[in-house]
Amino acid sequence: MLNAQCSMNVRIEESWKARLDKEFEKPYFEELTQFVRSEYGSCVCYPPGKLIFNAFDTTPFDKVRVVILGQDPYHEPNQAHGLCFSVNDGVQFPPSLQNIFKEIEAETGAPIPQSGNLTRWAQQGVFLLNTCLSVREHQAFSHSGHGWETFTDAVISTLSREREGLVFMLWGAPAGKKAALIDANKHCILRSAHPSPLSAYRGFFGNNHFNLCNQYLQAHGQQPIQW
């Protein structure tokens, strides 16, 4: 979690820490740290504090091959564990995740899995980043506007600048706006509607993103993702 003594002392995977240290020194991040500490101290929040940076810890900087950008963590009990769209083993699939699996099945023929835990993707280099990394129980977007967006913008910009040949999968209008942070000459940007029930039929279903992602990776000499 965020260290109680010093905002610079963030417990995060070392390859990410080396590249984000300057962010941890900025005033906004110190304010964010104090806010998150206060929220976790006074309310039920998700994911568990030790898993706030789980996406970073599971997918080190140099291992990232694909970026999927979510909004904020699931806000109901036992769901969120620090990877966007992913839920813990044994937890019922939220609607957006159901629709993601339906699209994968339609594109690839792969059967819908038994578990919604996407750690298996993260270990293959799929960086499952939420725009906000924490949330109060039962209150979607309750931690937005407190600095997480600034931090995750810096994360996306750093990936764009320091890496080449990544696939960015941006679903929905908020994620789509992040395309401005990404160098389209160096990376593949895939945009569509969000997989939520409100918008999945307006362009998420049939977007072919999972196949397009793997085609791009293979064209650049990389192994495809086993979705």
Side-chain angles (χ1 to χ4, degrees):
M1 193 180 168
L2 308 176
N3 186 276
Q5 300 283 318
C6 175
S7 62
M8 289 175 58
N9 205 5
V10 176
R11 296 171 190 157
I12 192 171
E13 193 273 334
E14 286 301 317
S15 67
W16 283 106
K17 188 168 188 175
R19 289 166 176 85
L20 298 173
D21 253 353
K22 290 183 179 178
E23 290 301 307
F24 301 146
E25 296 173 1
K26 293 179 179 178
Y28 88 85
F29 198 87
E30 184 171 354
E31 293 175 9
L32 171 62
T33 299
Q34 297 303 319
F35 169 76
V36 172
R37 284 180 54 224
S38 174
E39 285 287 288
Y40 273 76
S42 60
C43 311
V44 176
C45 296
Y46 302 117
K50 65 181 180 180
L51 296 178
I52 287 177
F53 295 111
N54 192 25
F56 301 82
D57 296 337
T58 309
T59 312
F61 184 83
D62 292 325
K63 301 294 185 183
V64 174
R65 300 194 290 143
V66 180
V67 179
I68 297 179
L69 187 64
Q71 297 179 3
D72 62 345
Y74 296 125
H75 52 266
E76 297 303 324
N78 303 316
Q79 293 180 318
H81 64 117
L83 305 178
C84 76
F85 295 108
S86 180
V87 292
N88 284 302
D89 291 323
V91 175
Q92 184 175 359
F93 302 166
S96 291
L97 184 57
Q98 290 182 36
N99 289 338
I100 289 170
F101 287 150
K102 287 178 183 177
E103 177 60 22
I104 292 171
E105 183 179 40
E107 290 184 29
T108 70
I112 292 176
Q114 296 296 309
S115 172
N117 189 327
L118 302 181
T119 300
R120 59 187 182 274
W121 292 5
Q123 291 171 341
Q124 295 177 73
V126 182
F127 184 47
L128 296 167
L129 180 68
N130 275 313
T131 302
C132 290
L133 301 188
S134 60
V135 70
R136 190 185 290 191
E137 185 177 44
H138 309 314
Q139 297 183 39
F141 308 115
S142 51
H143 287 186
S144 65
H146 291 275
W148 278 133
E149 295 90 343
T150 303
F151 174 70
T152 52
D153 280 0
V155 171
I156 294 167
S157 296
T158 301
L159 282 166
S160 176
R161 183 176 62 251
E162 297 191 21
R163 295 290 309 279
E164 291 187 10
L166 303 182
V167 180
F168 289 84
M169 302 168 76
L170 308 178
W171 301 330
K177 292 177 181 178
K178 305 299 185 184
L181 304 171
I182 303 163
D183 186 344
N185 294 315
K186 294 170 58 181
H187 305 286
C188 174
I189 303 173
L190 302 174
R191 289 196 277 186
S192 80
H194 193 272
S196 76
L198 296 175
S199 56
Y201 287 96
R202 298 202 296 267
F204 179 78
F205 288 136
N207 66 16
N208 205 36
H209 278 190
F210 300 96
N211 280 336
L212 290 170
C213 171
N214 279 344
Q215 289 168 13
Y216 181 88
L217 292 175
Q218 289 176 297
H220 288 76
Q222 297 188 55
Q223 292 293 314
I225 303 296
Q226 298 298 314
W227 301 111

